[in-house]
Amino acid sequence: MKLELPFFGPLIALAIFSLPVVAHAENFQGLSGQGYKVAALSNNKAGVKGWTLSKGPVRYFCELRASLAYSGKNGMVSFTSAGRVMTLDRAAFEKRMGGPDKSLPRYEDLKAGRPRPVDVGSCRKLR
């Protein structure tokens, strides 16, 4: 039994047009460059940590991408997928890594709404 291409053409078109439309996500750098103000680190309704960016009535929620951060002079924290913050032994971490990791953010900066673009994941418009 030989199936011809004209039979599959409409099926392929139907499959493509029935896929859900994905909303366009903004990025943190673009939004902050447009004058959006960054709020302190918080959790959204789903428990995901991140920041609310606002400019007038328009608001976005940008997710936290960082998984580790330095806290204070000798502390360290880890962010769980459930939105919790766990303290870690910084001395043990640095011993294992061979020294301090200068690429990690400061927890105090993240909490205060001063994230680096590399620490921020996708941003979605809030309704």
Side-chain angles (χ1 to χ4, degrees):
M1 176 175 176
K2 183 178 176 185
L3 295 176
E4 295 185 23
L5 187 59
F7 176 75
F8 287 109
L11 289 177
I12 293 172
L14 179 65
I16 290 173
F17 289 117
S18 65
L19 292 174
V21 177
V22 178
H24 177 68
E26 294 288 337
N27 68 31
F28 175 75
Q29 221 168 358
L31 292 171
S32 59
Q34 294 174 28
Y36 280 79
K37 294 186 182 191
V38 183
L41 184 66
S42 63
N43 291 10
N44 68 5
K45 291 179 184 178
V48 177
K49 284 209 169 299
W51 300 270
T52 301
L53 279 71
S54 60
K55 182 177 178 183
V58 181
R59 297 179 332 145
Y60 285 85
F61 183 79
C62 298
E63 295 180 9
L64 170 69
R65 180 187 292 171
S67 59
L68 295 171
Y70 286 124
S71 178
K73 187 172 181 172
N74 297 315
M76 185 169 218
V77 295
S78 171
F79 304 103
T80 69
S81 60
R84 293 195 172 106
V85 178
M86 298 174 47
T87 58
L88 300 176
D89 184 351
R90 181 174 176 171
F93 174 82
E94 289 180 349
K95 182 178 179 183
R96 178 83 172 153
M97 296 301 293
D101 187 349
K102 297 185 189 286
S103 69
L104 294 179
R106 308 259 337 133
Y107 185 45
E108 294 77 15
D109 291 336
L110 298 177
K111 285 193 316 186
R114 296 186 303 267
R116 305 172 304 174
V118 70
D119 301 324
V120 182
S122 63
C123 300
R124 290 177 197 76
K125 192 171 187 176
L126 298 174
R127 294 181 185 150

